[in-house]
Amino acid sequence: MSNIYIQEPPTNGKVLLQTTVGELDIELWSKEAPKACRNFVQLCLEGYYDGTIFHRLVKGFIVQGGDPTGTGTGGESIYGHPFKDEFHSRLRFVRRGLIAMANAGKDDNGSQFFFTLGACPELQNKHTIFGKITGDTLYNMLKLEESLVDQDERPLYPHKIIQSKVLLNPFLDILPRNKNKENKTFQEEAKTEKKTHSKATKNFSLLSFGEEAEEEEAEVDAVVKEYRGKGKSSHDLTNDPKLSSEPAVLAEDIKNNSHSEKKLPVDPETIQKIRDKLKKEPTENKQPELKKEPEENLSDREKKRKEAADKTEEIRKEIKKLKKEIASERKPKEGNTEEENNKAEKSEINVKEEEEESTLKEFQMEIAKYNELKKKLPKKGEGREEQTLNMLSKFQSVLQSAKENSPTEETLEDDGGDDDRGWLTHVFHFEDTGPVLAKDANIRSAESFEIFDPRNPLNQRRRESSKQRERRKP
């Protein structure tokens, strides 16, 4: 493990996450992954992660968080768009306690991150490693693995990030956005400006036509005050003689006229005449015009239908011819009668039945043989000793019968040795020397050889003793 830690580059930057499990002390590799570290530090300064949950847990693999929605699909980076991956040759997924960016594909990093709970070599060059958990806070991170998980790898009782603090900021040019606070201050400043704002007073003495301007403005103010909140036209607001403020027709007269128009009496005879005209006009004038167009169209349609019907009839005739040809081929030859054909069919059926019966008989015979052999086998409770003894006794009886009825050598030569039991009565014949017996290892002869192992201590002693004897000799 020491070899792994030595290969990792030095860190620059420190963040403290206060969680429901305890504090997590994080050190950042800001030089190796500057974009990811800048994003993480600025989001911590803005309080983006405060109150977020760890929404995903794969035991022995990772713990994921950093999504303000808590669904695993939300979160944005400080850049306003997903930023690119940053891989370094000295940063590898070889141990627990590493922090990397979570993404949905290549160059798709936002605000979500995850802690490793073990070695994850399959994530190499897929996720950006930008920090590690240091000190005893590593054991607090491991407590996240103890929570219960459902089928979708979501904790039933998820842990939260209470607050994030930046202890050592490697990027001094970072300015937290805090959009909500800026909006509130802007609105408050606008309200105060409206309240404190006083109307500008015009000094007409500076103008050459100041007196006229003052009179005009006084008239406008008077009109505005009088007709404030009421919709008025130029007839009311101006003193133009061409435009009168009195209406030409009163509203009451208009209402009365409208009611009178509605109540005008109409003769029933006129209504009937109008209806009769409307009925006659379409029958006399419009019907023949409408009939001419469809008749022309119908002629073309009828032609097309006839052509289609002729084609279908031709196709049907061809199908009938083909059916007749196929039926004629299937029919029996011209020379055979119906009775002969029936007999031939019956004979074929009988042959098939006989073949089936023969196969069934053979199968039944084999089953009967198998059952007989099965009966001869010993049962499970009986031992195999009796069976072997019976076999040996049978073999001895066969040997004795073979010796008693042993044929001579001449008969064997005549028969050619085709009898299977000839080997039972076979006798070995040796030459003049006779049979050679095996040598006994304990009896030594002149031709026997001895093999001495030089590593054996007994043999070493014998050699030394033999050398001493040779030296003593004169």
Side-chain angles (χ1 to χ4, degrees):
M1 291 296 289
S2 62
N3 189 20
I4 293 166
Y5 292 109
I6 290 164
Q7 288 179 357
E8 291 176 352
T11 58
N12 184 17
K14 201 167 187 179
V15 176
L16 183 69
L17 296 180
Q18 293 179 357
T19 65
T20 53
V21 171
E23 292 183 349
L24 300 178
D25 194 0
I26 298 168
E27 292 184 0
L28 303 174
W29 283 300
S30 57
K31 292 181 180 178
E32 287 74 16
K35 290 182 181 178
C37 291
R38 181 181 284 273
N39 182 54
F40 184 73
V41 169
Q42 186 165 344
L43 292 175
C44 290
L45 288 169
E46 293 173 359
Y48 188 84
Y49 295 125
D50 296 351
T52 59
I53 62 169
F54 292 96
H55 61 270
R56 188 187 176 199
L57 170 60
V58 183
K59 293 189 177 182
F61 190 58
I62 60 165
V63 181
Q64 189 171 337
D67 184 3
T69 62
T71 59
T73 58
E76 294 181 355
S77 67
I78 61 169
Y79 308 107
H81 56 81
F83 59 91
K84 292 184 178 181
D85 297 324
E86 296 171 320
F87 304 129
H88 195 269
S89 59
R90 293 176 68 184
L91 298 176
R92 293 175 295 171
F93 289 97
V94 292
R95 65 182 181 90
R96 64 189 180 183
L98 298 172
I99 307 170
M101 295 300 298
N103 56 30
K106 187 179 179 183
D107 300 331
D108 189 20
N109 300 302
S111 66
Q112 295 186 37
F113 59 90
F114 62 88
F115 303 127
T116 59
L117 299 172
C120 310
E122 61 270 20
L123 302 179
Q124 191 64 37
N125 293 332
K126 293 181 181 178
H127 297 271
T128 302
I129 302 169
F130 65 92
K132 63 179 179 179
I133 295 173
T134 57
D136 295 335
T137 59
L138 178 66
Y139 301 105
N140 294 333
M141 187 273 290
L142 294 175
K143 290 178 184 177
L144 296 170
E145 192 177 4
E146 296 174 1
S147 59
L148 300 173
V149 182
D150 61 4
Q151 295 178 354
D152 298 328
E153 298 176 350
R154 189 175 180 83
L156 297 175
Y157 306 101
H159 294 284
K160 290 183 179 181
I161 298 172
I162 299 165
Q163 191 179 4
S164 57
K165 294 180 181 179
V166 179
L167 303 178
L168 196 154
N169 188 358
F171 307 102
L172 300 174
D173 58 340
I174 289 177
L175 295 172
R177 293 173 291 181
N178 288 332
K179 292 181 179 179
N180 295 326
K181 293 180 181 179
E182 288 176 1
N183 293 330
K184 288 179 181 177
T185 54
F186 179 79
Q187 290 174 0
E188 289 174 357
E189 288 174 1
K191 287 179 182 178
T192 54
E193 283 178 1
K194 286 180 181 178
K195 289 178 182 178
T196 57
H197 182 69
S198 59
K199 291 183 179 180
T201 56
K202 295 179 182 180
N203 190 0
F204 294 102
S205 62
L206 299 173
L207 299 172
S208 60
F209 51 90
E211 293 179 357
E212 295 176 0
E214 281 182 3
E215 290 176 358
E216 289 178 359
E217 191 170 357
E219 290 178 0
V220 171
D221 291 335
V223 170
V224 169
K225 287 177 182 179
E226 185 179 355
Y227 297 104
R228 183 172 287 173
K230 298 178 183 180
K232 299 292 180 180
S233 64
S234 59
H235 297 273
D236 299 323
L237 299 174
T238 59
N239 294 320
D240 192 352
K242 293 180 181 180
L243 299 174
S244 63
S245 59
E246 295 179 357
V249 181
L250 295 171
E252 293 177 357
D253 296 335
I254 292 164
K255 289 179 182 179
N256 294 324
N257 290 328
S258 64
H259 289 295
S260 63
E261 285 176 0
K262 287 179 183 178
K263 293 179 181 179
L264 285 170
V266 181
D267 295 332
E269 293 178 359
T270 56
I271 292 166
Q272 287 179 0
K273 288 178 182 178
I274 292 163
R275 286 178 181 173
D276 293 334
K277 286 180 181 180
L278 291 169
K279 286 179 181 179
K280 289 178 182 179
E281 285 176 359
T283 55
E284 292 177 358
N285 299 323
K286 293 181 180 178
Q287 283 180 358
E289 291 176 0
L290 292 168
K291 283 181 180 178
K292 288 179 182 178
E293 291 177 358
E295 281 179 359
E296 294 175 357
N297 294 327
L298 284 169
S299 63
D300 296 333
R301 289 177 184 174
E302 285 177 358
K303 288 179 182 178
K304 289 178 181 178
R305 285 177 184 174
K306 286 180 181 179
E307 290 176 358
D310 294 334
K311 287 180 181 179
T312 52
E313 285 179 0
E314 289 177 358
I315 291 162
R316 285 175 184 173
K317 287 178 182 179
E318 289 179 358
I319 290 163
K320 285 180 181 179
K321 286 180 182 179
L322 291 169
K323 285 181 179 179
K324 286 179 181 178
E325 289 176 358
I326 292 162
S328 63
E329 288 177 356
R330 289 180 179 176
K331 283 182 181 179
K333 294 180 181 180
E334 295 177 357
N336 296 329
T337 60
E338 291 180 358
E339 292 179 356
E340 290 177 354
N341 293 325
N342 291 327
K343 287 179 181 179
E345 289 176 358
K346 288 179 181 179
S347 62
E348 289 177 358
I349 292 164
N350 292 325
V351 169
K352 289 180 180 178
E353 289 178 353
E354 288 176 358
E355 288 177 355
E356 290 176 356
E357 288 177 357
S358 63
T359 51
L360 286 169
K361 285 179 181 178
E362 289 177 358
F363 181 67
Q364 289 173 357
M365 291 290 286
E366 289 179 357
I367 289 168
K369 288 179 182 178
Y370 177 74
N371 290 327
E372 288 176 358
L373 294 169
K374 194 174 182 183
K375 288 177 182 178
K376 292 178 182 179
L377 291 171
K379 295 180 181 179
K380 290 182 179 179
E382 297 178 356
R384 292 179 62 85
E385 292 181 359
E386 294 179 357
Q387 188 180 1
T388 52
L389 291 170
N390 291 327
M391 295 284 283
L392 287 169
S393 63
K394 285 180 182 179
F395 184 68
Q396 286 177 357
S397 63
V398 170
L399 284 173
Q400 288 177 359
S401 63
K403 286 179 182 178
E404 291 173 356
N405 299 322
S406 61
T408 59
E409 292 179 0
E410 294 176 357
T411 56
L412 288 168
E413 288 175 359
D414 294 334
D415 293 337
D418 293 333
D419 190 4
D420 292 336
R421 293 186 179 182
W423 64 274
L424 295 170
T425 59
H426 185 72
V427 180
F428 289 104
H429 294 283
F430 300 97
E431 295 179 356
D432 298 334
T433 55
V436 179
L437 300 174
K439 292 181 180 180
D440 191 357
N442 295 322
I443 299 169
R444 293 182 181 180
S445 62
E447 295 178 356
S448 63
F449 296 95
E450 291 183 1
I451 297 168
F452 295 100
D453 188 0
R455 293 173 294 179
N456 193 350
L458 294 172
N459 294 330
Q460 288 178 359
R461 290 176 187 174
R462 287 176 185 175
R463 285 178 184 176
E464 289 176 358
S465 61
S466 62
K467 286 179 182 180
Q468 288 175 0
R469 287 174 187 174
E470 287 178 357
R471 288 175 184 174
R472 288 175 184 174
K473 288 180 181 181

